Amino acid sequence: LAGGTGSGKSFAARTLLTGWIASGGRVVVVTRGGDYRRYGEIFGGELLDIDLEDPKLRLGPLGSQEEMRAAGDHYLEHLANVIGVMVSEGQLDRVQRRLIYQALKNLYAGAKPEPTLEDWRAALRAVAVAEAETKAIGEQLVRQIEFWLDGPYGRAFRRNRKSSDARLSIWNLANIHDDDSQGVVLAITSGVIARSIRRGPTVIVLDEVWSILKSQAGAALVETLYRTVRKEGSAIWTISQSMNDY
């Protein structure tokens, strides 16, 4: 959907979604602003105003052992991608990707029922020091993740997000003002979308998609969704002010 400010894009999307939700379909909305707030309240949806300085926010990307078993092999790959966005300043090389994945694999082979990002950091240190040639690389990854654990947003990322069974999930990113933070949140959102699709056909709505396409993680998310959701019996809708945004 494309149209200028005030042309009714979000209204049209909500109208079309109503029948889908009423028939039992699932919806994940990523937006900037409050256009879907009342809609979410009417349908009993999960409403998330993402403010990384909110002391109540829980945004840690790791899930429980039970969730990992239910999701299957792709779950660790998803978590590795999320952490990769958090620790990268560009493209990760093969050694970095291997360390990230191996630390996750070792962590979920343990007995802790709900591992956290802090636990992954400890697992990464253990993996990196096991090989002399990877110690420096592991230390660099640890330094990168420390911003998200010990920096201004640490409270949010040290605590795992609780999964929701709501058929409607609305993520409002209006309070995120830098591309790095938005990229991380969008990477986490990709897991929410994947979980919803596993539970049933899902319509993914990316409102103000121009803002999502600004970040590397956002552009990658949009591309992946367009390539994959149709095979899962789901759909992606993107909404913006101009066709030139695409």
Side-chain angles (χ1 to χ4, degrees):
L1 297 176
T5 302
S7 61
K9 301 183 299 296
S10 297
F11 176 80
R14 294 194 301 270
T15 301
L16 292 169
L17 288 170
T18 298
W20 173 253
I21 295 173
S23 67
R26 305 180 66 85
V27 176
V28 178
V29 178
V30 181
T31 186
R32 296 185 70 86
D35 286 350
Y36 294 85
R37 173 171 296 281
R38 180 58 180 157
Y39 192 77
E41 291 172 350
I42 291 172
F43 285 98
E46 176 190 34
L47 303 173
L48 296 163
D49 292 314
I50 305 298
D51 181 348
L52 296 178
E53 296 182 357
D54 181 354
K56 297 180 180 179
L57 182 65
R58 304 169 66 101
L59 211 57
L62 274 66
S64 67
Q65 296 275 8
E66 181 180 355
E67 187 172 352
M68 191 274 289
R69 288 191 293 270
D73 296 338
H74 296 301
Y75 189 70
L76 293 186
E77 295 176 15
H78 159 68
L79 292 181
N81 289 335
V82 174
I83 294 173
V85 173
M86 301 177 85
V87 301
S88 69
E89 295 179 338
Q91 293 293 326
L92 295 172
D93 62 34
R94 291 180 180 178
V95 175
Q96 291 172 316
R97 292 198 298 269
R98 179 174 67 82
L99 290 175
I100 291 170
Y101 186 85
Q102 188 62 51
L104 283 167
K105 188 175 180 180
N106 292 355
L107 182 60
Y108 279 92
K112 189 169 184 179
E114 295 192 6
T116 66
L117 198 56
E118 288 183 290
D119 296 324
W120 175 83
R121 175 170 59 179
L124 174 64
R125 285 191 173 117
V127 168
V129 299
E131 304 175 30
E133 61 271 23
T134 61
K135 183 177 180 181
I137 299 173
E139 289 175 349
Q140 180 187 19
L141 293 174
V142 167
R143 286 194 296 271
Q144 293 292 91
I145 202 66
E146 282 175 350
F147 171 79
W148 302 104
L149 286 173
D150 304 325
Y153 310 139
R155 184 192 297 266
F157 288 101
R158 286 195 301 269
R159 299 179 298 176
N160 288 350
R161 178 181 177 273
K162 298 298 183 183
S163 61
S164 170
D165 290 325
R167 288 191 293 114
L168 171 62
S169 182
I170 300 170
W171 289 60
N172 175 16
L173 310 188
N175 290 319
I176 299 180
H177 305 294
D178 67 277
D179 291 347
D180 287 344
S181 298
Q182 176 170 282
V184 170
V185 173
L186 288 172
I188 293 171
T189 305
S190 70
V192 176
I193 292 170
R195 185 184 305 116
S196 182
I197 290 173
R198 287 197 302 272
R199 293 176 178 174
T202 300
V203 173
I204 301 104
V205 180
L206 306 180
D207 207 336
E208 301 293 354
V209 73
W210 62 266
S211 65
I212 295 174
L213 292 171
K214 288 195 306 179
S215 70
Q216 182 178 351
L221 171 63
V222 174
E223 179 181 4
T224 299
L225 289 173
Y226 268 114
R227 290 179 182 275
T228 60
V229 295
R230 184 169 55 88
K231 295 184 294 184
E232 304 292 341
S234 296
I236 173 173
W237 299 358
T238 55
I239 304 173
S240 200
Q241 297 185 16
S242 170
M243 292 302 294
N244 293 330
D245 293 335
Y246 299 91

